[in-house]
Structure formats: structure tokens, C-alpha cells
Amino acid sequence: MSDSAPVRFVICGVGHIGRRHAALVARYPGAQLAALVDVRPELAGELAGEFPEIPFYTSLEKCFAAGCEADVLTIATPNYQHVPQAIAGLTHGLHVVIEKPIALRTHDAEAVVRMAEQTGRLVFGVMQNRYSPPAVWLKQLVQEGKLGQVYLVQINCFWNRDARYYCAGGWKGSQQQDGGTLFTQFSHFVDLLYWVFGDITNIGARFFDFNHEELTEFEDSGLVTFDLVRGGSGTLHYSTAVWDQNLESSLTVIAEHGSLKIGGQYMDKVEYCHLRNYTLPELPPTNPANNYGPYQGSAANHVHIIENVVETVQKRSHATTNALEGLKVVEIIERIYRLKSPKST
């Protein structure tokens, strides 16, 4: 493709997030929706109304066999399908966008990275917190050394995920297909930790299952402690056992030159900032939360992801979240989950 030609997307998995990708691609000036793929044939009529003249296929294989011309495959399917579909897309010569998590095991994420290297294609991980203005601001603060030595980092993720989310018979809540609370709900907060502060070591963890025993095969809450490789220590407290609605996502930093807290339900505002010789600038507004009907998710930053993919494929930018960083997040979560005992869930 020429650098100015529209970047053509196939969207695989047309649930809530897949439709968001499709709608944003259809509206984005440098992008073009090439095809929609979903295993549910009953969606064909509905999607034809939403996305007229866009071909619909019930499998990636059928899409490829039909000679669908595209540049990027966006994967918004259940977690366990991400790796085989990513490898299929890369093998077919497409760049790949993978909704979180890239994989459920480190060795599977490594296989995706190897295939990307072999095919010369790009892999983008969807880690939407990186586009949040408070997160961008924090990253810059750390890079510029404004905090001095980091002492303590505390991340709290307290969300509601009840029977409205974990529906009987679905993949969500299955150990093998979902992977666990940190993979499906909070991997983008682990990514934020890694992106801003670097790798962690000396991990300790406790896991609890307060009110999800009938809903999931894994924990609904966890208390994680760690040291930062660059110095300092931290905690990650998370739960999906909150009653009725999300409570908060927050990140607090205590450092040599001051303290700060990013808070709100979706880390969407700076709640406290007191740093030596520093005045907090006015930050751009954060996008509203993804709304899934009865429950909500993180900030809806997918338009920034599509923009980054288009500009990177057209060689005007570089990937905001590449496959190696996605692999690192999987590896950190796997290291945390290794501390589970058989009785901890």
C-alpha cells in the first residue's frame, strides 16, 4: 500500500468492543472498514444495517479464502482466541491489533512476537490507559525526573463485575478461556505500572473469592506487593466484588520530591499533586468510560489506538504499545498468578 492510501481493517469479533472498533474505523479519515468477522451468523442482518456494503464472514478462514483485501486485522474476540487469530493474521501478511490481553501465557505471547518478526508485520496491543491525559502527564513527570526517587506506588482497582457480566455458559469466568481477573479486567493497569515505572520484582500476593464462587473459576480480589526494579516499592489492590457499580481506579505515588494521586472511577483526573517547585498544568479532558449497559469499563480511548495504527502503518509514527510490551504485561501477570495456592480461589 502507498503511505497515503487508507489503511484497510478487518474486525474479528463484533461484540461491544469490536463494534466500537468498526464504527471508529468507518469514521476515521485514514482508515477503511474492509470486512467484519464473527462466529454468530445471526449478526449478519444487524451488521448489514449498521455497516452497509461491508462483507460479513463467520470465520477468519472464510474471510481470507474470499480474497478480502486488508492491511490490519483487529482482534476483539474472547481472550483464548487472541493468539491463534493473531498468528493467522500475521501469516496472511496483515498487521494485527489485539485487544487486551495479547495472550494468557508468556510462551504464547512470545510466539506472536516471533511471528511478527518473521513476517515483518506489526502487532499493536490495546492498552487504552496510555492515552489518558493523567497517565501521559505522569509518564512525562517520571521521565523528566520531577519526582526524584520513587518511594511508594499504590494502585487500587475496585470494580463491579457480577452476574450481569459473568453470564452462565459464556467464556468470561472460565480459567482456560478468560485467564483470570488480572488478565480480563485489570491488565491495562499492570501495563500502566510497567509503562511508567518499569519492571517489578520480589512479588508477594494473596487472593480471595468473596462473592464469585458461583460465577467464576478464579479469584475476585487480590492484594499484591512488589519492589520496583528501579527502586521503591508498591502495591496493587484489586477487586471485582464491589456491589452494584464500579468504585474507583486510582494510582498514588509518594516520592522524594512530592506526592500525587490519579483517581476517579477510571483514573480520569489528578486528585492530588504536591511537588517541589511544580505547578500542575491544565490537562486535556479524559474520554468517558466504555459503557457496556449494566456495567462500565475503562476510558474509551479506542479512537487514539486507531489513529496510532493508521499513522504507524503509513510510516508517520511508531506503535504506542508494541508486542514486546504486551508480552511483558502477560509475563508480570503470570508471575503474580504463580503465587496462587490451590486453596486461594
Side-chain angles (χ1 to χ4, degrees):
M1 62 174 289
S2 72
D3 290 353
S4 58
V7 177
R8 300 162 297 180
F9 287 74
V10 171
I11 311 294
C12 184
V14 199
H16 183 87
I17 288 294
R19 284 186 197 211
R20 178 179 291 278
H21 278 280
L24 290 170
V25 165
R27 291 202 299 264
Y28 192 79
Q32 184 179 317
L33 192 56
L36 299 169
V37 179
D38 199 287
V39 294
R40 296 166 290 180
E42 65 271 18
L43 293 180
E46 192 180 326
L47 292 171
E50 280 184 62
F51 305 100
E53 299 180 19
I54 303 300
F56 172 79
Y57 304 95
T58 53
S59 72
L60 267 183
E61 292 73 21
K62 289 176 182 174
C63 179
F64 294 152
C68 174
E69 293 188 1
D71 307 296
V72 177
L73 171 65
T74 297
I75 298 169
T77 52
N79 296 356
Y80 69 103
Q81 297 176 0
H82 291 182
V83 169
Q85 289 171 344
I87 288 175
L90 292 166
T91 305
H92 200 72
L94 302 180
H95 304 291
V96 175
V97 177
I98 311 177
E99 270 291 340
K100 64 175 177 61
I102 278 187
L104 297 176
R105 288 175 291 273
T106 303
H107 66 83
D108 287 338
E110 288 169 343
V112 173
V113 171
R114 282 196 303 273
M115 185 58 70
E117 289 171 349
Q118 289 168 18
T119 57
R121 303 289 91 181
L122 299 168
V123 173
F124 302 81
V126 176
M127 288 299 180
Q128 57 267 45
N129 279 0
R130 293 193 182 197
Y131 300 95
S132 163
V136 173
W137 165 76
L138 176 60
K139 168 82 168 174
Q140 190 174 356
L141 275 185
V142 172
Q143 281 182 324
E144 293 174 356
K146 293 272 198 317
L147 298 178
Q149 177 59 50
V150 172
Y151 297 152
L152 290 174
V153 175
Q154 179 189 60
I155 297 178
N156 290 333
C157 301
F158 300 138
W159 284 11
N160 161 263
R161 291 292 183 266
D162 53 25
R164 293 170 293 183
Y165 177 86
Y166 290 111
C167 301
W171 64 274
K172 293 169 182 170
S174 154
Q175 182 68 59
Q176 191 164 0
Q177 298 182 347
D178 181 317
T181 304
L182 284 178
F183 279 116
T184 305
Q185 309 304 330
F186 302 130
S187 59
H188 42 313
F189 295 99
V190 176
D191 174 73
L192 186 63
L193 171 69
Y194 174 68
W195 184 55
V196 174
F197 299 102
D199 205 357
I200 64 174
T201 188
N202 297 331
I203 301 170
R206 297 174 64 202
F207 304 95
F208 308 89
D209 198 7
F210 293 119
N211 63 15
H212 283 193
E213 285 190 3
E214 305 301 318
L215 297 177
T216 72
E217 296 175 358
F218 43 74
E219 88 290 351
D220 59 32
S221 306
L223 308 175
V224 184
T225 60
F226 53 85
D227 291 334
L228 297 165
V229 170
R230 297 178 190 164
S233 293
T235 60
L236 165 62
H237 298 161
Y238 68 92
S239 181
T240 52
V242 178
W243 179 74
D244 194 49
Q245 65 182 25
N246 289 0
L247 170 59
E248 73 163 338
S249 308
S250 67
L251 187 154
T252 302
V253 184
I254 297 170
E256 180 183 4
H257 297 157
S259 305
L260 61 88
K261 180 178 181 179
I262 300 173
Q265 279 199 60
Y266 314 103
M267 288 198 190
D268 50 1
K269 53 183 176 282
V270 179
E271 293 189 342
Y272 184 86
C273 176
H274 184 57
L275 299 176
R276 182 185 303 166
N277 301 324
Y278 182 81
T279 302
L280 175 68
E282 186 169 342
L283 302 179
T286 300
N287 286 338
N290 282 306
N291 193 325
Y292 304 95
Y295 58 92
Q296 291 188 309
S298 53
N301 288 324
H302 287 82
V303 66
H304 301 299
I305 293 154
I306 290 160
E307 179 182 40
N308 180 240
V309 172
V310 168
E311 296 204 341
T312 304
V313 170
Q314 293 181 339
K315 300 180 172 58
R316 295 199 301 264
S317 185
H318 62 277
T320 308
T321 311
N322 61 43
L324 284 172
E325 291 173 318
L327 183 157
K328 189 66 190 179
V329 171
V330 173
E331 187 246 317
I332 289 171
I333 294 174
E334 208 170 38
R335 281 157 59 200
I336 292 170
Y337 274 159
R338 253 184 236 136
L339 300 173
K340 278 190 178 185
S341 67
K343 294 180 181 178
S344 65
T345 57

